[in-house]
């Protein structure tokens, strides 16, 4: 999570609940209590947040007009970055699926059940010959939010195409550290594929 995302989430939580504790802020934002305390002190020093004493030695946090302006700016920056990431992701998944189409790789498995999976599914609609077989992801659910079958092991994806073999794997996994070492080799081996059939969009590399 970037620094701006942390600041945005802190200001958003304070706006939503002025009586929120620093411990709860820590849990909601995903940073330490000490880091929350440091940021809150900076907010106060910069005039973004005003403190008001409350019973039981607690404080209420209120965004000042400057705090609302800063949050609006962070919101605009966040949306701009999100649109850029969406456009870049759409272009790169389109290029990967075009590569699959050109090479006759029709039966595709998506690796990772994330927001990127939804983007890859959306892009796949431009390629009528592409068949998305399944999503490999760690979940007990049997279907993903994208309407595809969700499996936890590669062999389950193989069993979904008893006649036609899986042709390629497209990564939708944000955490690329999960794709190194023996894990990805095991997945490809069970799908009877080599590394040339494992496709990762450039922005994830």
């Amino acid at each position: 999570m970037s620094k701006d995302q942390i600041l945005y989430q802190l200001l958003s939580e304070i706006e939503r609940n002025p009586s929120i504790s620093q411990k709860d802020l820590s849990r909601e934002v995903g940073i330490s209590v000490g880091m929350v305390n440091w940021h809150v002190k900076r907010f106060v020093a910069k005039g973004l947040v005003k403190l008001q004493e409350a019973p039981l030695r607690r404080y209420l946090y209120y965004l000042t007009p400057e705090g609302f302006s800063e949050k609006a700016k962070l919101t605009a920056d966040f949306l701009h970055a999100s649109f850029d990431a969406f456009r870049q992701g759409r272009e790169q998944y389109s290029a990967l699926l075009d590569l699959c189409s050109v090479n006759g790789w029709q039966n595709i498995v998506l690796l990772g059940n994330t927001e990127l999976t939804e983007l890859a599914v959306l892009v796949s609609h431009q390629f009528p010959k592409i068949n998305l077989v399944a999503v490999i992801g760690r979940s007990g659910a049997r279907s993903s939010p994208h309407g595809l079958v969700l499996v936890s092991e590669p062999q389950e994806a193989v069993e979904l195409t008893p006649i036609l073999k899986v042709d390629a794997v497209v990564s939708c996994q944000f955490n690329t550290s999960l794709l190194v070492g023996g894990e990805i080799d095991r997945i490809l081996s069970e799908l009877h594929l080599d590394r040339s059939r494992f496709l990762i969009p450039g922005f994830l590399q």
Side-chain angles (χ1 to χ4, degrees), residues 28 77 81 133 177 182:
E28 292 293 334
D77 292 344
V133 176
S177 65

Side-chain angles (χ1 to χ4, degrees), residues 96-171:
L96 290 181
L97 293 181
D98 184 58
L99 175 66
C100 291
S101 186
V102 168
N103 283 285
W105 303 341
Q106 297 183 346
N107 299 307
I108 309 299
V109 166
L110 302 179
L111 180 59
N113 189 27
T114 70
E115 290 87 350
L116 294 178
T117 313
E118 185 174 354
L119 183 56
V121 172
L122 179 66
V123 170
S124 73
H125 295 158
Q126 304 171 21
F127 300 89
K129 293 184 179 181
I130 294 295
N131 173 38
L132 297 182
V133 176
V135 176
I136 298 177
R138 300 297 179 186
S139 174
R142 292 300 302 170
S143 64
S144 74
H146 327 293
L148 298 178
V149 175
L150 179 62
V151 300
S152 59
E153 292 296 333
Q155 186 58 37
E156 296 177 70
V158 173
E159 292 169 358
L160 292 171
T161 54
I163 299 176
L164 302 173
K165 68 182 183 67
V166 173
D167 295 311
V169 176
V170 175
S171 178

Side-chain angles (χ1 to χ4, degrees), residues 1 17 34 52-53 55 69 74 80 88 90 104 109 129 146 160 163 168 173 193 195 200 203 205:
M1 185 185 300
N17 180 14
Q52 178 179 319
E53 288 192 42
S69 295
L74 290 169
H80 180 74
Q88 183 183 32
R90 183 180 58 191
V109 166
K129 293 184 179 181
H146 327 293
L160 292 171
I163 299 176
Q173 182 63 258
L193 300 173
R195 280 271 180 170
I200 309 178
F203 69 94
Q205 299 183 36

Side-chain angles (χ1 to χ4, degrees), residues 65-97:
E66 292 80 6
F68 281 108
S69 295
E70 180 67 15
K71 179 175 174 286
K73 177 181 178 299
L74 290 169
T75 300
D77 292 344
F78 178 74
L79 289 174
H80 180 74
S82 296
F83 285 134
D84 284 347
F86 175 83
R87 182 170 58 250
Q88 183 183 32
R90 183 180 58 191
E91 291 172 354
Q92 293 189 21
Y93 277 115
S94 180
L96 290 181
L97 293 181

Side-chain angles (χ1 to χ4, degrees), residues 33-52:
V33 175
M35 185 64 71
V36 168
N37 183 262
W38 184 80
H39 279 299
V40 168
K41 287 181 177 178
R42 282 180 55 85
F43 288 159
V44 174
K46 293 172 67 174
L48 304 180
V49 170
K50 181 175 68 174
L51 296 182
Q52 178 179 319

